[in-house]
Amino acid sequence: MIIQPKTRGFICITSHPEGCAKNVQNQIDYIKSKSPIDGAKNVLVIGASTGFGLASRITSAFGENASTIGVFFEKPPAEGRTASSGWYNTAAFEEQAHKAGLYAKSINGDAFSNEIKEQTAQLIKKDLGKIDLVIYSLASPVRTHPETGVRYKSTLKPIGNTYTNKTVDFHTGEVKEISIEACTEEDIVNTVTVMGGEDWQMWIDKLKKEGLLADNFKTVAYSYIGPKLTEPVYRKGTIGKAKDHLEATAFTITDALKDIKGKAFVSVNKALVTQSSSAIPVIPLYISLLYKVMKEKNLQEGCIEQIYRLFKERLYLGEIPVDSEGRIRIDDLEMRDDIQEKVAQLWEEATTESLPEIGDLEGYKDEFFNLFGFNFDGIDYEKDTNEMVSIPGLQ
Ligand code: NAD
Ligand code: NA
C-alpha cells in the first residue's frame, strides 16, 4: 500500500516500514562509526522497540556485539493497515543483527504481566543462560497490576495548584496558554503505580529467582529532571513522583543484588522527541527551544548519541560517575547554565509568530515524523510498499 502520515491528536497512526528501517540503519551506522564498548554480552531490553530502549538495544548489539532480547508492546500489521513503528523498527533491527551474526529475539506483549516475565525468563534460560544487563525503558500510560488485575492510569498533572503556562501545538505551530488542573491524591498513587519502580523490581526479582543474573550484573532505568520551567508539570508533578519512586527503587534493587555484586542505576537522560514526550503538555515547546540552542552550540544529541555516551562514558568505566543522589547523568549538556539561561530567555519571547525563528519547530516536526518512518530523504513515499513485514526473531 501507499503509506502516508496520518495524525490523530498528538500521535501518528500510520508508520512506514522502509522509513523505520532507515531510522534504525542510521542509528546502527552511528554506533559502527564509534569505538566499540567493552561491556555486556547478554542484554535484555524492556521497552526495546522505540526511543531510548531501541537505542539501547542497537548500542548493545552493534557497539558491544551483545546478544539481545527485546520486550515491547507493538501492533502487528494487518492487510491494509500498517504496524506501529516499533514493530517495523524491530523487524529492521533484527534483520541487521542477524546479518551481522548476532543473536536477537523479541517478545511482543504486556511487560507488566507475569506471563511475559515468565516467557522472557524461559527464553533467557534456553538461549543465553545468564544476562549481564537489563535496560528498563518502558513508557506507558496504563498498567494492569499482575497481582490484583486492577488497571491503573497515569496522569501528567501538577500537584497542589493549577499550572498555567505556554505550550505549542507542533502540528500547527500555534503557541497558546494552557492550564492544567491539580491532581488528586489518587492520581499520584496511580501514576506511581504505572511509571514508578515496582514493575522494574518485579522483573529483577523474577530473573534473580530463576538464577538468570550473571555476577556483576547491572540494570539501568531511565529518568528525567529538566528545567524549573517544566517542574510543576514534570518533576514536581505526578510523573515526577513516579520518577522519585523509580530512583528510590534503584537502591532497593541494589540491596537485593549484593550476593552477585549486582547494581541498579537510574540514568537521567536528555529531553528528546519521542512518542511519549510528544504527549506531555508544555514539553514540546521546551524541546523546540532547547533543540535550537543545543544545535547552535553543536551540542545536540538524539537517543543514539545519548545511549552511546551512557555506555561508553558512564556504565562501563571502572567507577561509574554518579551525582549526589546516586544517579547517572547524561542530561549534563541540556542542564548546562548557558543552555538553560538561553532557553528561559527564549521562553519569554515565544509566540506563534516568533517560534519558527527562535525555536526549532521544523526540527521538532521532522523528528516527530521520523519516529514513524516519515520525512526521510531517499524514500519514495508515493511508492507502493509492503506493510506486511514480520519480525524474524519474534517468539
Ligand atoms: P517510547 O514511547 O519511545 O518507548 C516506550 C517503549 O515501551 C516502547 O518500546 C513500547 O513498546 C514499550 N512499552 C510501552 N508499554 C508497554 C507494555 N505494557 N509492555 C511492554 N512494552 C511496553 O518512550 P521513551 O521516550 O524512549 O521513554 C523510555 C523511558 O525514558 C521512560 O522511562 C521515559 O520517562 C524516559 N525518558 C524519556 C525522555 C524523553 O524526553 N523522551 C527523557 C528522559 C527519560
Ligand atoms: Na524506549
Side-chain angles (χ1 to χ4, degrees):
M1 64 193 273
I2 292 169
I3 305 172
Q4 301 277 352
K6 221 181 266 168
T7 55
R8 187 171 293 161
F10 288 107
I11 61 157
C12 183
I13 58 170
T14 52
S15 41
H16 197 283
E18 288 164 51
C20 290
K22 173 103 181 171
N23 188 4
V24 167
Q25 189 62 53
N26 290 347
Q27 295 189 49
I28 293 173
D29 291 345
Y30 174 79
I31 292 297
K32 283 186 170 168
S33 77
K34 309 295 283 185
S35 64
I37 302 153
D38 189 11
K41 291 295 154 238
N42 295 323
V43 179
L44 168 65
V45 181
I46 303 162
S49 53
T50 58
F52 282 111
L54 173 65
S56 305
R57 192 175 193 188
I58 292 172
T59 303
S60 300
F62 291 93
E64 336 180 275
N65 270 313
S67 299
T68 60
I69 293 176
V71 176
F72 47 77
F73 210 3
E74 299 293 342
K75 192 165 55 87
E79 214 57 66
R81 199 193 69 202
T82 77
S84 52
S85 59
W87 179 277
Y88 292 137
N89 290 341
T90 303
F93 165 80
E94 285 199 2
E95 199 184 317
Q96 295 306 317
H98 295 167
K99 255 191 219 161
L102 296 165
Y103 172 100
K105 288 189 182 176
S106 299
I107 292 175
N108 187 29
D110 182 6
F112 295 127
S113 70
N114 290 334
E115 292 72 21
I116 290 296
K117 290 184 178 72
E118 180 62 32
Q119 200 187 328
T120 307
Q122 292 312 321
L123 183 62
I124 294 169
K125 197 173 288 179
K126 176 166 79 75
D127 287 358
L128 302 179
K130 286 180 194 280
I131 42 174
D132 351 85
L133 176 67
V134 171
I135 297 291
Y136 188 83
S137 187
L138 289 186
S140 173
V142 292
R143 174 180 175 216
T144 301
H145 200 283
E147 274 149 23
T148 59
V150 176
R151 193 164 183 268
Y152 295 89
K153 274 191 181 168
S154 71
T155 52
L156 295 157
K157 290 184 186 170
I159 297 172
N161 299 303
T162 301
Y163 170 65
T164 304
N165 211 325
K166 292 179 192 175
T167 192
V168 64
D169 175 337
F170 58 87
H171 290 302
T172 63
E174 190 194 354
V175 176
K176 58 179 178 209
E177 213 164 69
I178 56 154
S179 284
I180 312 164
E181 249 183 73
C183 68
T184 62
E185 272 307 309
E186 209 189 339
D187 287 330
I188 298 177
V189 173
N190 292 350
T191 306
V192 170
T193 306
V194 178
M195 286 296 286
E198 188 189 24
D199 181 64
W200 183 25
Q201 189 170 354
M202 284 178 159
W203 267 100
I204 304 303
D205 284 350
K206 167 75 182 169
L207 299 175
K208 178 151 195 290
K209 206 178 93 208
E210 300 282 336
L212 302 174
L213 304 182
D215 282 349
N216 298 309
F217 166 81
K218 289 185 182 68
T219 182
V220 183
Y222 297 143
S223 189
Y224 182 65
I225 297 177
K228 276 259 170 307
L229 267 173
T230 59
E231 256 181 6
V233 72
Y234 199 94
R235 194 63 208 210
K236 292 189 173 161
T238 48
I239 183 71
K241 288 287 178 202
K243 291 303 187 190
D244 289 344
H245 186 269
L246 184 79
E247 292 175 11
T249 303
F251 296 101
T252 319
I253 294 176
T254 295
D255 275 344
L257 295 177
K258 279 216 172 87
D259 56 330
I260 56 164
K261 293 197 246 29
K263 280 210 161 89
F265 293 94
V266 157
S267 170
V268 182
N269 300 354
K270 168 186 187 293
L272 280 171
V273 179
T274 65
Q275 294 187 47
S276 306
S277 65
S278 304
I280 309 176
V282 187
I283 299 279
L285 180 57
Y286 169 69
I287 290 183
S288 65
L289 298 172
L290 178 73
Y291 273 28
K292 180 81 169 190
V293 176
M294 291 190 81
K295 283 179 184 176
E296 269 171 11
K297 293 185 187 273
N298 242 325
L299 295 173
Q300 173 64 0
E301 294 175 306
C303 287
I304 197 69
E305 289 86 358
Q306 279 265 290
I307 299 302
Y308 178 76
R309 203 152 67 82
L310 169 64
F311 279 52
K312 187 74 181 181
E313 296 176 20
R314 303 285 190 275
L315 212 49
Y316 292 108
L317 291 183
E319 188 75 20
I320 298 173
V322 291
D323 69 9
S324 59
E325 316 287 313
R327 302 172 295 208
I328 297 173
R329 302 297 294 264
I330 52 169
D331 64 339
D332 47 347
L333 303 175
E334 169 181 357
M335 298 311 281
R336 251 170 52 171
D337 288 344
D338 59 330
I339 306 256
Q340 285 303 322
E341 279 159 22
K342 184 75 193 170
V343 172
Q345 178 208 325
L346 293 175
W347 186 274
E348 295 303 317
E349 297 167 15
T351 61
T352 304
E353 292 68 38
S354 68
L355 188 61
E357 268 307 305
I358 67 168
D360 188 24
L361 194 60
E362 278 314 304
Y364 191 106
K365 272 201 241 185
D366 214 38
E367 269 192 30
F368 177 80
F369 284 108
N370 284 173
L371 297 174
F372 305 91
F374 298 110
N375 282 16
F376 282 106
D377 289 339
I379 291 179
D380 183 355
Y381 292 101
E382 305 297 329
K383 211 182 96 216
D384 225 354
T385 184
N386 175 23
E387 72 278 14
M388 298 303 288
V389 175
S390 57
I391 297 176
L394 191 71
Q395 296 305 288

